[in-house]
Amino acid sequence: MKQLHFFLSTLLLVVFVACGDDSNEYKIGGKTGEDTPVQPDERQSAGPEIAKYNLEFPALKGGNSIVVVHSGVLNDTYNKSGVNYSVEWDTSLRAQRWSCYQMYADSYKSGSQVSRYSATNDGSLSPECQYPNDQDILEQYRLTVDPYKYSGYDHGHICASADRQRAVEANYQTFYITNMQPQNNKFNAGIWATMENQIRTWANNFDTLFVCKGGTIDKAEHIIEYVCGKSHQATRVNADHVPVPKYFFMAVLGKKGTSFKATGFWIAQDNYTSTDLKSYAVTIQALQNNTGIDFFCNLPDDIENQVETVAHSQMEKEWVWIK
């Protein structure tokens, strides 16, 4: 299993630049070097440049956050390997801010479908349980118990298991606790699953989809409560209490040939009575205003401005919606 992680440690790779920084410097074990820009959709092996150039990445928050990039086999039938998905993990909150990834034919649609990973959910977070700890996160920043177990919330996948069912390894990685957010079952199995299916449908219409998804953890008014098992608190009382997002989001960028278009979803976890996905669709600019996250910042500025500020009515027309 090949994995890359960025962190403030001489043991791990550190990304010191955010979108818009022209210094093109990174540090490996304290050494500074020049990295080489890569073309979008090259799907190359993980390297220190991917957070700066791969289009699925938003601007990194920094501070208490680290970025973990999971790589491995994406398609068992054709032995295709590459970057599976990446996650920004807030080491203070012990919660993920987003997962981002690409979808394209040779890792998503072609080849034999593998079974969804299944193991005993004993709450241990061991590598053999249903929701393992991410071993690429330093132990002091991991959860010590599974806060979802007995909480009443589902382990809500952010990079969906069904998006990675062409390889056993890729599917297993989607069950890391770092790829989860607390979701009500009716939300997780209902409108969220419908949105995930919409993205899989869109994947048929593009060369590549660049996807960034997550839940709100940065503002008190965007958090419902903090949970750890049966303990539900208005404020965070210890490191194993994770925030329950009030809102969830998806940012989607489609590339076909040399053209790009983008759309987003913004939805309250406790208010999803409409089954019409268009009622939750927002422009990327609106999504950025809601979340404070700068999506698709690795696009050239002119293309970024174009896809982010398209009129809402035009955005709806540009995408094929499931009924």
Side-chain angles (χ1 to χ4, degrees):
M1 186 182 301
K2 298 178 181 178
Q3 295 168 329
L4 169 72
H5 28 277
F6 304 104
F7 190 63
L8 297 177
S9 165
T10 58
L11 299 177
L12 303 174
L13 303 185
V14 185
V15 173
F16 282 91
V17 295
C19 296
D21 190 326
D22 296 324
S23 64
N24 285 347
E25 287 191 345
Y26 63 90
K27 291 188 177 181
I28 303 176
K31 297 179 181 179
T32 301
E34 289 293 324
D35 55 25
T36 303
V38 296
Q39 294 302 310
D41 198 29
E42 280 191 348
R43 308 198 281 271
Q44 84 288 357
S45 299
E49 70 277 6
I50 77 166
K52 295 167 56 182
Y53 296 102
N54 274 27
L55 296 185
E56 68 269 25
F57 273 87
L60 310 182
K61 186 174 180 62
N64 294 322
S65 293
I66 63 177
V67 174
V68 182
V69 181
H70 294 293
S71 295
V73 178
L74 301 177
N75 192 306
D76 287 340
T77 303
Y78 301 107
N79 197 28
K80 295 279 188 178
S81 297
V83 175
N84 187 7
Y85 72 94
S86 305
V87 59
E88 185 172 66
W89 181 253
D90 190 299
T91 62
S92 177
L93 291 174
R94 304 291 201 277
Q96 74 118 259
R97 184 164 285 105
W98 45 257
S99 289
C100 67
Y101 55 101
Q102 299 180 16
M103 295 181 68
Y104 39 84
D106 61 5
S107 69
Y108 166 57
K109 291 182 290 185
S110 58
S112 301
Q113 182 165 304
V114 303
S115 299
R116 176 183 170 98
Y117 172 70
S118 180
T120 301
N121 181 19
D122 58 9
S124 68
L125 304 181
S126 71
E128 296 79 23
C129 74
Q130 185 62 51
Y131 302 101
N133 247 322
D134 187 336
Q135 298 301 304
D136 280 354
I137 296 208
L138 294 177
E139 189 171 354
Q140 61 264 40
Y141 300 120
R142 299 177 197 164
L143 293 162
T144 62
V145 298
D146 184 346
Y148 301 78
K149 193 171 176 62
Y150 305 122
S151 70
Y153 290 100
D154 285 2
H155 295 75
H157 277 74
I158 302 304
C159 175
S161 166
D163 291 349
R164 292 296 191 253
Q165 278 192 269
R166 300 299 173 181
V168 171
E169 180 179 32
N171 190 259
Y172 170 78
Q173 289 176 352
T174 68
F175 283 85
Y176 288 155
I177 200 77
T178 48
N179 186 45
M180 303 294 157
Q181 286 280 17
Q183 294 183 339
N184 290 313
N185 177 258
K186 288 184 178 180
F187 176 85
N188 181 32
I191 194 67
W192 185 254
T194 302
M195 290 178 173
E196 291 176 327
N197 188 46
Q198 175 69 85
I199 290 179
R200 284 188 285 276
T201 300
W202 282 336
N204 295 318
N205 303 326
F206 295 91
D207 301 330
T208 308
L209 279 186
F210 303 91
V211 182
C212 185
K213 299 156 62 179
T216 54
I217 64 171
D218 291 317
K219 296 179 180 179
E221 62 268 29
H222 288 173
I223 296 172
I224 296 174
E225 61 179 348
Y226 295 82
V227 298
C228 181
K230 295 180 180 179
S231 176
H232 293 238
Q233 304 292 333
T235 58
R236 190 163 176 259
V237 297
N238 66 47
D240 283 317
H241 278 76
V242 297
V244 179
K246 184 175 182 179
Y247 299 97
F248 281 86
F249 61 86
M250 298 185 182
V252 184
L253 175 70
K255 172 182 176 289
K256 190 168 186 178
T258 58
S259 66
F260 294 88
K261 58 184 179 182
T263 190
F265 288 122
W266 173 256
I267 183 168
Q269 177 164 200
D270 57 356
N271 184 14
Y272 49 91
T273 53
S274 174
T275 57
D276 179 8
L277 294 185
K278 288 185 180 181
S279 64
Y280 307 109
V282 295
T283 65
I284 298 301
Q285 185 60 62
L287 199 60
Q288 291 178 158
N289 293 339
N290 289 341
T291 63
I293 298 172
D294 184 5
F295 298 101
F296 309 130
C297 56
N298 291 322
L299 282 168
D301 288 344
D302 57 337
I303 298 176
E304 182 184 4
N305 291 335
Q306 176 188 344
V307 301
E308 289 180 357
T309 59
V310 63
H312 191 283
S313 58
Q314 180 63 30
M315 181 197 71
E316 283 193 359
K317 292 177 182 177
E318 288 180 346
W319 293 83
V320 178
W321 300 87
I322 61 175
K323 301 298 183 181

